[in-house]
Amino acid sequence: MTAQETIMISSFYLFIALMIGIQAYIGLRTVLFGIALPAEALQDPAVQRIRRNYVLLTGGFAIVIGVACFFVTRHQTTGRSILSWTIAILLLMIVSVFAIRISRMSAQRLKAARGWQVDVQTKRAASLAVGRTHGSVLGSWWYSAHVAVMALCIFFAVARWDAIPQSFAIHMGPNGLPDVYISKSVRTVFMMNIVQALMIALFAGYNLMIRRARTSLDPQDREGSLRKQLKLKKIHSIAAWGISLLGIANLGLLQAVILYGWKLNLLIRYNISFIAVFFLTLLGVLLYLRFRGLDQQRDVPSQEERHWKWLGSMYANPEDPALFVPDRYGFGWTINMANPRGKIIAAATIAVLATAILVPILIFR
């Protein structure tokens, strides 16, 4: 595996590790790993210690796993290196689940020891349609830019069909030269366009979810909470649109490298830049929301612990008619899994993601 390929793959691993590490600081500050705390608890050093310990624990394991994987993959082929780093990422995610569980238990013990009580707000003014009438997100037609990029990729593939070799490389050997080839066919040539279409559907669906997410109004400041939530939706919508457009372009570039012999270094540099832009954009959005106080709204779904499952990250409230609600512990919105349609949407999302991953594997097997 070349040095640039090593940098690209390890950069993606670093990105995942950073995303896992900042979990302790995403979402409502009054929610500590899914445990609701009163506002005065934020000044307690023990609260900050729990967050800091989570970062240290996940960060320590990320360094150990990353260094071990780096030494193991130095002399492996590209394919085996990708597999090794994938296993490393999965292992890191498993570690993070245990770290969240440990931190959550610490938060529960601390809350009980301090005798903290949180008033559960049971009365809210809510609208399921306000986001659809106030222009809260980008219109679906904005995703025509994604479709245009995909159509351009398809056009070039059709126009240059005769110039595409009868067999093209899909894998590089340890010496930097191609060592695995596949035959040209309709499915192999347009495989990346299928993945592009799936990703466009996924992100357009996410944009629609933001639009249709319930807007709960703070009884003490209805107009202010409405303005904040509409602005929050707009920021998320714009960020998702931009990142997804870069991702669609990345798939088009990968298609060009495979079919037309474009330099692999161009793809590697783009991917490294894409990962950096993705993380910096996400970090910038989080900091902006924190600076503006848009991430600390009180008009969130029920704070009752019984409605939040699986380490406090999954919302399931059969008494709540909303399908999409703000996520109190995380980034963005979540699905009400007690709603039958919510289960269908969650299953469909997983199916789209799995298909986007499996399509290249099945075609290139």
Side-chain angles (χ1 to χ4, degrees):
M1 188 169 65
T2 64
Q4 286 187 318
E5 289 175 325
T6 301
I7 294 174
M8 183 184 73
I9 297 174
S10 58
S11 297
F12 183 72
Y13 173 83
L14 177 61
F15 168 74
I16 297 297
L18 290 173
M19 288 295 298
I20 290 174
I22 65 175
Q23 283 296 314
Y25 298 94
I26 297 179
L28 293 172
R29 288 192 290 270
T30 53
V31 176
L32 183 61
F33 294 98
I35 304 300
L37 303 176
E40 60 269 20
L42 298 179
Q43 306 303 322
D44 194 309
V47 173
Q48 293 301 321
R49 190 181 308 116
I50 291 174
R51 286 195 169 101
R52 185 171 59 252
N53 289 342
Y54 169 82
V55 175
L56 292 175
L57 181 60
T58 55
F61 271 99
I63 293 174
V64 172
I65 295 172
V67 170
C69 193
F70 175 79
F71 282 107
V72 168
T73 60
R74 280 190 306 170
H75 305 295
Q76 288 184 341
T77 62
T78 302
R80 291 184 64 85
S81 296
I82 292 176
L83 177 60
S84 298
W85 281 105
T86 301
I87 294 174
I89 291 173
L90 292 176
L91 182 59
L92 183 58
M93 289 180 175
I94 293 173
V95 169
S96 71
V97 171
F98 282 101
I100 290 174
R101 182 174 180 81
I102 293 171
S103 302
R104 180 179 169 85
M105 292 172 63
S106 298
Q108 288 175 324
R109 289 194 298 267
L110 178 63
K111 183 177 181 180
R114 296 288 195 272
W116 288 329
Q117 298 293 328
V118 178
D119 294 331
V120 177
Q121 183 179 334
T122 57
K123 294 184 178 180
R124 297 185 304 270
S127 173
L128 303 180
V130 67
R132 309 174 197 176
T133 58
H134 285 68
S136 59
V137 302
L138 297 177
S140 299
W141 62 269
W142 277 81
Y143 282 85
S144 59
H146 299 60
V147 176
V149 172
M150 181 182 70
L152 188 64
C153 295
I154 295 174
F155 171 79
F156 274 108
V158 173
R160 302 190 60 182
W161 180 267
D162 293 337
I164 298 174
Q166 293 302 313
S167 62
F168 42 84
I170 61 170
H171 185 270
M172 305 298 291
N175 56 359
L177 298 176
D179 61 354
V180 178
Y181 292 83
I182 61 170
S183 300
K184 180 175 76 172
S185 67
V186 172
R187 65 174 186 170
T188 56
V189 168
F190 297 105
M191 179 271 298
M192 286 301 165
N193 306 124
I194 297 174
V195 178
Q196 284 177 322
L198 291 171
M199 298 308 295
I200 292 173
L202 182 66
F203 280 98
Y206 176 71
N207 190 67
L208 182 63
M209 183 188 81
I210 298 176
R211 179 192 297 274
R212 294 181 175 273
R214 180 186 61 199
T215 303
S216 301
L217 307 182
D218 186 343
Q220 300 178 11
D221 184 18
R222 296 194 178 200
E223 290 297 324
S225 64
L226 175 60
R227 288 194 301 270
K228 285 183 177 181
Q229 288 192 74
L230 293 181
K231 191 171 184 178
L232 181 66
K233 287 185 175 184
K234 179 72 78 172
I235 293 171
H236 278 266
S237 178
I238 293 174
W241 180 86
I243 291 297
S244 60
L245 183 59
L246 290 176
I248 297 299
N250 182 49
L251 291 172
L253 182 57
L254 176 59
Q255 184 181 36
V257 170
I258 294 175
L259 299 182
Y260 316 129
W262 288 20
K263 291 184 177 180
L264 180 62
N265 290 346
L266 179 63
L267 176 65
I268 293 174
R269 290 169 184 168
Y270 183 93
N271 273 273
I272 294 174
S273 301
F274 174 72
I275 292 172
V277 169
F278 189 5
F279 181 75
L280 291 176
T281 300
L282 179 59
L283 186 60
V285 169
L286 290 174
L287 291 176
Y288 178 81
L289 297 179
R290 179 63 59 91
F291 178 74
R292 293 291 185 178
L294 298 177
D295 63 336
Q296 302 303 318
Q297 302 176 52
R298 290 185 295 171
D299 40 350
V300 296
S302 173
Q303 294 279 40
E304 296 180 78
E305 298 296 334
R306 61 191 179 92
H307 293 149
W308 293 90
K309 316 295 183 181
W310 207 75
L311 301 180
S313 62
M314 183 181 295
Y315 184 63
N317 185 359
E319 300 173 359
D320 191 339
L323 181 58
F324 306 113
V325 298
D327 193 351
R328 67 170 190 167
Y329 171 47
F331 186 73
W333 288 261
T334 188
I335 300 173
N336 183 1
M337 295 302 294
N339 190 311
R341 290 182 298 164
K343 297 176 182 177
I344 296 175
I345 293 174
T349 301
I350 294 174
V352 170
L353 286 171
T355 303
I357 295 173
L358 290 175
V359 163
I361 295 176
L362 294 176
I363 291 178
F364 289 163
R365 72 184 189 277

